[in-house]
Amino acid sequence: MPLKTCVTPDMSINHPWQSQSAANHTVYLSRFSSSDQPALKQALETCAAKAVGLLDVNIQEDSLYLLFEWNPARAELVIVVTDANKTNDGAYKVQAELPDLQDKAADETLPETIKFLLSDFLASYSPFFSYSLVAIFHSSSRAETSLL
């Protein structure tokens, strides 16, 4: 798994991403340390910017959503482009592991904090405005998403 460095647009953050490719998809994976609010905010913004940076090559004819999936038990965020049924994902996904948040898995406010930070970032991230995707979030199942 070769490491790739990603410089996100409009942000001066260099962050290493592991690229894992399979037959029909590529996952950009990274691990972020620290669980304090500023570090969490920076990690989420880095991931969202990486996902937006992949939109040109990731959007398909039936793409509708930029889906942010938070898994509290694994302290993991996955970002995918998907269709209206949330079943046909784009070829590229961004996956972030935040192991320092695993001890906060029972904290019911953490998903709302993550949702707020992502929403706040996307609301002012001009590269995202070039696309007509709807940003959605869930922390349980794709059937229970909400708008960012």
Side-chain angles (χ1 to χ4, degrees), residues 5-27:
T5 300
C6 170
V7 179
T8 55
D10 301 328
M11 300 174 74
S12 59
I13 299 171
N14 288 326
H15 193 80
W17 294 92
Q18 287 183 335
S19 174
Q20 301 173 340
S21 296
N24 59 352
H25 69 277
T26 300
V27 177

Side-chain angles (χ1 to χ4, degrees), residues 67-90:
L67 175 60
F68 294 82
E69 300 182 281
W70 173 247
N71 181 331
R74 295 179 63 186
E76 177 181 87
L77 178 70
V78 175
I79 308 168
V80 297
V81 173
T82 193
D83 65 341
N85 296 322
K86 302 173 202 142
T87 55
N88 186 22
D89 294 347

